[in-house]
């Protein structure tokens, strides 16, 4: 007997229908999985989205029921382009560019290319009907602000796109007429030229050809000078877009990168730095996606173009020495900003609780008294054995404080000692310090984390178990607890004593450093308490002129007791 046919390839998971992945791929005839939902007209979609917002706010004022969650509109770009397996151009570049500029990016894939830094090895065009299906799926459901086009491989694909755009109008259309890759490989049939010119350009807000593409669009005219670029922009404008940007990045004669922007009346030359790098693969896609992102955010066209140009220039600059692939044209890093403070996750040493062991806190009063600079005080503390430093400068002017902080960052970095800034998140950001220490009347650790990012150290002063719990909830790395003894360095600071320190340390989920009136003669007694989570002592009151001696003495006292406490 023949075995029963296999069940349909569907799975049910959490109440949602999951389609077997095998159903998704078909090289020639895409399966229609289910009919697309009838698309509501775009204007209606937009009205309903905003009317819900209005309804939400008016209902909240007239009833005592909690208001429904408010929608947060996100600038949305849909890219209609080809996939680049090498990740430098096409859809992949578009998504990264939009993300870098803060726009959401959905994608309709027109072709899958086998591509790397040497060139394009193969192209697999997605069937037109399936491109239509993707367009329907996105445009019928999501409020797309701007459509950006890249590789449109055939007349049929351009026509499908034009039909979809008529059915689902969007705020703006950015057309990057990608025809030939920089490696010289054709990405679009030459027959598409006419439909680009006659249909798509008329719907476009901006068309962004490079010099080679402009030449092709105009019947292979030769373009060598900026004046030729102006003429080309004027001719392309006649096909119907509202603006034209002819990009001169690949003009051999120009020493700087000049682009010509034309709005139908005026030519504007946009000059940029030409960055010497092999990593220029995907600059065209990126520029167009950045323009689209800015338009989606509501920018005017010239401003959007300027922002896009600046972004590409910065990205090329930051990526000029990257090595990805062995071919002549490499990709660049769209997300280079993630490597700068405050997002440089992992580029600094990660916080280790035992770094709290001997915690030096600067005191401007003391520095003035002994006629030394903050930098000298920090240097001396490190030489005396300090394992972490906090700049606590309550009466410095901002500029003066920042200069001192920058100098201290260098000293601390070369000694492998983390440098924290007391209270001033702005100073910490500006000097790229390792973190910040805040108190109960300062910005909360949660807010500081938002500003500094995940890679920085955040400490919070806590006098109660509830505050210690809150610091943990807020994502702090350690707590400071005190004053353990009476202090002269901080006015109106209640003394907690050993009992208070013990209560907080026992309750804390974070490592603790004790502070307040600690010196070489009493540090041992604090460590001796052997409290769980107590990792060290903080010390600012410098009675002698030489912090090296002070810290060294403290170090010996604390270390001896620490070893003793651990032994017990
Ligand atoms: C390690 C450490 N613990 C506590 C404090 C005190 O911080 P805060 O309560 O914000 O008071 P000020 O230092 O800002 O006067 C600290 N600085 N360091
Ligand atoms: C910031 C801070 N919080 C409690 S005491 C203090 C200052 C440092 O204390 P001391 O000078 O007593 O070591
Ligand atoms: Mg403070």
């Amino acid at each position: 007997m023949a075995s029963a046919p296999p069940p349909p390839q569907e799975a049910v998971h959490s109440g949602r229908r999951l389609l077997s992945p095998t159903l998704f791929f078909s090289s020639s005839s895409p399966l229609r999985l289910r009919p697309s939902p009838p698309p509501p007209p775009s204007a209606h979609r937009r009205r309903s989205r905003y009317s819900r917002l209005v309804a939400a706010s008016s209902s909240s004022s007239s009833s005592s029921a909690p208001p429904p969650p408010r929608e947060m509109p996100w600038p949305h770009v849909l890219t209609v382009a080809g996939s680049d397996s090498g990740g430098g151009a096409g859809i992949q570049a578009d998504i990264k560019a939009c993300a870098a500029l803060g726009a959401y990016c959905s994608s309709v894939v027109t072709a899958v290319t086998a591509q790397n830094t040497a060139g394009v090895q193969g192209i697999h065009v997605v069937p037109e009907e399936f491109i239509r299906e993707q367009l329907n799926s996105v445009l019928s459901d999501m409020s797309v602000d701007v459509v950006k086009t890249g590789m449109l491989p055939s007349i049929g694909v351009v026509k499908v796109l034009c039909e979809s755009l008529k059915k689902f109008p969007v705020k703006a259309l950015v057309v990057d007429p990608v025809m030939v890759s920089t490696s010289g490989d054709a990405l679009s049939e030459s027959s598409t030229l006419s439909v680009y010119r006659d249909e798509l350009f008329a719907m476009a807000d901006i068309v962004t050809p490079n010099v080679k593409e402009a030449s092709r669009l105009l019947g292979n005219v030769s373009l060598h000078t900026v004046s030729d670029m102006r003429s080309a922009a004027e001719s392309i404008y006649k096909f119907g877009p509202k603006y034209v940007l002819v990009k001169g990045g690949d003009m051999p004669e120009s020493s700087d990168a000049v682009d010509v922007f034309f709005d139908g009346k005026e030519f504007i030359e946009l000059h940029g730095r030409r960055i010497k790098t092999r990593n220029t693969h995907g600059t065209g896609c990126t520029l167009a996606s950045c323009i689209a992102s800015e338009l989606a955010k509501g920018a005017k066209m010239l401003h959007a173009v300027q922002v896009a140009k600046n972004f590409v220039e910065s990205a090329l600059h930051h990526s000029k020495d990257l090595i990805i692939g062995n071919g002549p044209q490499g990709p660049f890093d769209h997300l280079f900003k993630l490597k700068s403070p405050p997002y440089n996750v992992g580029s600094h040493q990660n916080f280790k609780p035992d770094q709290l062991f001997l915690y030096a806190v600067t005191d401007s009063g003391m520095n003035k008294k002994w006629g030394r600079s903050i930098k000298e005080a920090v240097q001396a503390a490190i030489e005396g054995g300090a394992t972490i430093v906090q700049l606590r400068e309550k009466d410095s002017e901002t500029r003066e404080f920042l200069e001192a902080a920058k100098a201290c960052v260098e000293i601390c970095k070369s000694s492998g000692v983390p440098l924290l800034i007391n209270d001033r998140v702005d100073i910490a950001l500006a000097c790229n310090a390792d973190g910040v220490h805040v108190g109960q009347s300062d910005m909360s650790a949660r807010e500081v984390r938002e500003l500094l990012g995940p890679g920085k150290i955040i400490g919070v002063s806590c006098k109660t178990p509830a505050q210690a719990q809150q610091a943990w909830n807020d994502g702090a790395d350690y707590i400071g607890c005190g004053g353990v003894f009476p202090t002269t360095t901080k006015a109106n600071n209640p003394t907690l004593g050993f009992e208070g320190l013990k209560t907080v340390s026992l309750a804390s989920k974070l490592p603790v450093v004790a502070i307040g009136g600690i010196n070489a003669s009493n540090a041992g007694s604090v460590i001796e308490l052997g409290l769980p989570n107590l990792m060290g002592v903080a010390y600012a009151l410098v009675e002698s002129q030489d912090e090296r001696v002070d810290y060294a003495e403290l170090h010996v006292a604390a270390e001896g007791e620490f070893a003793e406490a651990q032994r017990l």
Side-chain angles (χ1 to χ4, degrees):
M1 214 171 84
S3 58
Q9 291 181 320
E10 284 186 10
V12 175
H13 178 71
S14 308
R16 291 174 59 201
R17 234 157 53 99
L18 292 181
L19 293 149
S20 159
T22 54
L23 285 184
F24 281 102
F25 273 100
S26 163
S27 57
S28 51
S29 59
L31 281 171
R32 294 194 66 80
L33 300 171
R34 66 194 130 78
S36 303
S42 171
H44 172 252
R45 274 185 298 118
R46 284 184 195 290
R47 241 197 331 274
S48 64
R49 175 178 167 156
Y50 289 108
S51 55
R52 259 181 289 152
L53 262 180
V54 173
S57 54
S58 58
S59 70
S60 66
S61 57
S62 60
S63 89
S64 58
R70 297 221 304 164
E71 279 188 31
M72 191 171 78
W74 195 357
H76 186 146
V77 173
L78 163 63
T79 172
V80 182
S83 157
D84 168 5
S85 55
I91 292 267
Q92 287 81 355
D94 296 342
I95 293 173
K96 287 184 277 185
C98 290
L101 269 71
Y104 182 79
C105 185
S106 51
S107 53
V108 164
V109 183
T110 57
V112 181
T113 69
Q115 198 173 160
N116 57 22
T117 57
V120 181
Q121 290 81 44
I123 297 179
H124 187 72
V125 175
V126 174
E128 282 159 28
E129 277 318 301
F130 198 67
I131 293 173
R132 190 193 304 280
E133 177 123 23
Q134 294 179 69
L135 285 163
N136 264 341
S137 291
V138 176
L139 292 167
S140 67
D141 176 45
M142 299 169 167
S143 285
V144 171
D145 295 301
V146 179
V147 168
K148 175 257 159 189
T149 71
M151 178 178 176
L152 303 175
S154 65
I155 295 184
V157 173
V158 181
K159 283 188 176 291
V160 163
L161 174 64
C162 291
E163 284 163 21
S164 293
L165 288 172
K166 281 177 194 146
K167 198 150 127 194
F168 302 103
V170 291
K171 264 200 315 213
L173 172 64
V174 175
V175 175
D176 183 23
V178 178
M179 283 161 190
V180 183
S181 74
T182 338
S183 53
D185 303 281
L187 297 175
S188 185
E189 291 163 2
S190 47
S191 54
T192 53
L193 277 177
S194 56
V195 69
Y196 254 108
R197 284 186 302 231
D198 301 342
E199 294 191 33
L200 194 60
F201 285 2
M203 298 173 80
D205 287 82
I206 187 164
V207 178
T208 63
N210 60 28
V211 169
K212 276 190 204 136
E213 288 155 352
S215 161
R216 278 196 83 196
L217 285 164
L218 298 170
N220 295 322
V221 291
S222 46
L223 303 173
H224 295 295
T225 62
V226 172
S227 156
D228 294 341
M229 288 165 68
R230 285 173 171 241
S231 310
E234 201 168 13
S235 304
I236 294 169
Y237 180 82
K238 291 188 181 132
F239 295 126
K242 295 195 186 79
Y243 300 90
V244 179
L245 180 73
V246 178
K247 299 171 294 187
D250 50 3
M251 283 274 278
E253 285 170 26
S254 62
S255 58
D256 55 355
V258 184
D259 298 340
V260 171
F261 178 83
F262 185 56
D263 63 5
K265 289 190 203 84
E266 226 190 317
F267 294 98
I268 296 173
E269 283 178 22
L270 302 163
H271 291 254
R273 265 187 310 156
R274 187 182 283 280
I275 313 288
K276 281 208 176 86
T277 175
R278 77 183 255 280
N279 299 326
T280 54
H281 182 51
T283 42
C285 309
T286 302
L287 187 97
S289 293
C290 290
I291 295 173
S293 299
E294 289 306 301
L295 294 178
K297 291 187 218 168
K300 294 235 166 29
M301 188 60 82
L302 182 57
H303 182 72
V305 170
Q306 192 66 64
V307 169
K309 199 168 155 65
N310 291 347
F311 175 85
V312 172
E313 193 181 298
S314 298
L316 291 182
H317 172 71
H318 281 88
S319 312
K320 60 186 188 317
D321 302 322
L322 274 186
I323 301 174
I324 297 177
N326 295 305
Q329 236 209 346
F332 59 92
D333 182 5
H334 294 75
L335 303 178
F336 64 95
K337 284 188 183 150
L338 295 182
K339 290 186 183 149
S340 321
Y343 302 109
N344 47 359
V345 188
S347 65
H348 284 265
Q349 53 188 328
N350 288 324
F351 174 61
K352 295 173 207 77
D354 56 13
Q355 287 168 327
L356 296 173
F357 179 56
L358 195 57
Y359 188 131
V361 181
T362 68
D363 183 273
S364 32
M366 282 302 149
N367 293 338
K368 275 197 196 107
K369 179 173 164 189
W370 300 119
R372 65 187 164 212
S373 66
I374 304 171
K375 186 176 153 187
E376 284 165 336
V378 166
Q379 181 77 55
I382 292 174
E383 285 171 16
T387 54
I388 190 165
V389 173
Q390 180 192 130
L391 299 190
R392 182 171 177 266
E393 297 299 316
K394 293 290 185 183
D395 45 18
S396 293
E397 296 290 342
T398 298
R399 188 169 299 197
E400 183 196 349
F401 188 5
L402 181 57
E403 284 315 305
K406 282 181 178 168
C408 294
V409 161
E410 292 310 313
I411 295 170
C412 288
K413 207 185 272 174
S414 63
S415 319
V417 170
L419 179 83
L420 310 184
I421 306 291
N422 178 289
D423 299 347
R424 298 284 302 268
V425 182
D426 57 338
I427 299 280
L429 282 168
C431 72
N432 195 17
D434 296 294
V436 165
H437 185 93
V438 284
Q440 294 297 322
S441 56
D442 300 314
M443 204 184 275
S444 76
R446 186 175 293 273
E447 285 157 334
V448 178
R449 180 67 74 205
E450 285 280 316
L451 293 169
L452 294 189
K456 299 290 184 180
I457 304 169
I458 300 177
V460 181
S461 312
C462 298
K463 291 185 189 298
T464 65
Q467 290 172 353
Q469 176 64 34
Q470 188 63 48
W472 184 79
N473 290 347
D474 285 349
D477 294 296
Y478 75 89
I479 63 168
C481 183
V484 179
F485 304 108
T487 178
T488 52
T489 321
K490 185 168 166 58
N492 306 320
N493 191 45
T495 302
L496 297 183
F498 285 169
E499 270 315 300
L501 176 65
K502 188 174 166 187
T503 307
V504 174
S505 296
L506 282 170
S508 179
K509 292 193 176 75
L510 292 171
V512 180
V513 61
I515 190 167
I518 294 172
N519 55 39
S521 56
N522 62 20
S525 62
V526 177
I527 303 280
E528 211 181 14
L529 295 170
L531 294 173
N533 303 316
L534 184 65
M535 299 304 295
V537 284
Y539 175 88
L541 192 62
V542 179
E543 296 292 1
S544 86
Q545 195 169 357
D546 191 348
E547 271 166 333
R548 261 174 225 87
V549 177
D550 271 17
Y551 279 96
E553 279 176 7
L554 192 72
H555 198 207
V556 170
E559 200 159 56
E561 286 305 332
F562 192 63
E564 180 70 6
Q566 282 192 325
R567 203 176 56 76
L568 292 172

